[in-house]
Amino acid sequence: MERQSGIQSAESIIELNERFRGAGPEVVLRWAIDTFAPKLALASSFGAEDMVLIDMLSKLEPATTIFTLDTGRLHEETYDIMERTRERYKVAIESYFPGRDAVEALERERGFYSFRQSIEERKFCCRVRKVEPLGRALLNVDAWITGLRREQAATRTGIDAVEIDASHGSIVKINPLVDWTESQVWAYIREHDVPSNALHDQGFPSIGCAPCTRAIKPGEDVRAGRWWWENPETKECGLHLESGHGDHGARG
């Protein structure tokens, strides 16, 4: 069932993306707050991009909902940055967990590392631990904010600042950092003394579940450490389906 998004047509999306072309992420966030609050939420895995957005929102609208997907297999360093964020910005972080029965069945029937057997098995694990909880997190919002950037991966080169998320009731998906480079992200973090996950200093530019993330080697792509046994074209977990101006298929 589609929900009202406040965006009336594909033409409106095109116009918005033209309007935001070259605009700073704070401009996009200000529009998102004015248009959708309080039914607006930031999805955060507490990587560098998400920390930039949390810092920006703390200055624009501190009451913006922040949620995270606790898969049960996160790094200790990720829990540490979550707690430091809670204390630094005085915010409540809404954690969404996978369903107990689904995780128990997954581990009993498929084992503890089934995600390494095939792309299909890995995507099944992601559906249980990430995709289903995300669906619950988005049930009562009209728009959600992500830290996606085009530069991050081959699967993300076509994203826009504002998209319709057809997989979640056609709510609006907002990517304020879409045009930023990695160097811009880290320049902001340094300038504003933003907390960051300690794993970034250990060679982890992209951080997910502990068994599925490794440090990258010099010269490797920033997403090379995610599901490193797969091809770059398959490296999505299902959280970010191809949106845009219409209803497209899954990116994977």
Side-chain angles (χ1 to χ4, degrees), residues 12-230:
S12 299
I13 292 288
I14 294 171
E15 290 167 4
L16 281 167
N17 283 306
E18 285 296 326
R19 171 181 161 190
F20 294 140
R21 197 176 308 280
E26 292 95 338
V27 173
V28 180
L29 287 171
R30 182 74 265 169
W31 167 81
I33 292 163
D34 292 343
T35 306
F36 299 106
K39 289 197 163 187
L40 174 70
L42 168 67
S44 177
S45 60
F46 299 90
E49 291 83 1
D50 295 335
M51 293 307 301
V52 166
L53 292 172
I54 289 171
D55 189 79
M56 290 178 176
L57 286 169
S58 74
K59 298 162 185 173
L60 293 169
E61 181 48 74
T64 303
T65 297
I66 300 170
F67 73 85
T68 193
L69 307 178
D70 188 342
T71 65
R73 303 199 75 162
L74 302 180
H75 296 83
E76 186 65 26
E77 291 86 347
T78 300
Y79 292 109
D80 177 72
I81 186 61
M82 288 164 63
E83 182 62 16
R84 285 192 286 141
T85 299
R86 191 181 70 85
E87 294 176 353
R88 163 77 175 270
Y89 296 102
K90 309 301 180 189
V91 293
I93 298 167
E94 298 182 0
S95 295
Y96 286 83
F97 292 85
R100 183 191 68 184
D101 291 347
V103 173
E104 288 178 356
L106 167 65
E107 294 186 350
R108 289 172 182 171
E109 297 169 12
R110 298 170 184 253
F112 298 93
Y113 290 93
S114 58
F115 46 84
R116 291 180 178 165
Q117 296 173 11
S118 68
I119 293 174
E120 291 70 28
E121 286 293 326
R122 197 269 294 166
K123 289 183 177 180
F124 183 85
C125 183
C126 287
R127 281 198 299 274
V128 169
R129 295 185 183 272
K130 295 182 177 182
V131 177
E132 189 278 331
L134 177 66
R136 284 187 279 115
L138 297 179
L139 276 176
N140 296 312
V141 303
D142 291 334
W144 62 304
I145 304 166
T146 85
L148 295 181
R149 296 184 295 108
R150 290 195 189 101
E151 187 189 67
Q152 285 172 326
T155 53
R156 297 180 178 179
T157 56
I159 62 177
D160 288 318
V162 183
E163 302 179 318
I164 295 295
D165 186 349
S167 62
H168 295 107
S170 292
I171 62 175
V172 174
K173 183 176 178 180
I174 302 159
N175 311 307
L177 300 177
V178 63
D179 292 322
W180 270 27
T181 63
E182 184 180 9
S183 61
Q184 284 177 290
V185 170
W186 283 100
Y188 183 97
I189 287 173
R190 289 189 295 270
E191 180 181 350
H192 297 272
D193 192 29
V194 177
S196 63
N197 193 318
L199 289 174
H200 289 311
D201 294 329
Q202 300 173 35
F204 289 73
S206 180
I207 302 167
C209 291
C212 300
T213 312
R214 65 161 173 79
I216 65 170
K217 301 169 185 176
E220 282 190 310
D221 179 83
V222 294
R223 297 264 297 173
R226 300 292 296 275
W227 310 298
W228 60 90
W229 57 89
E230 294 183 15

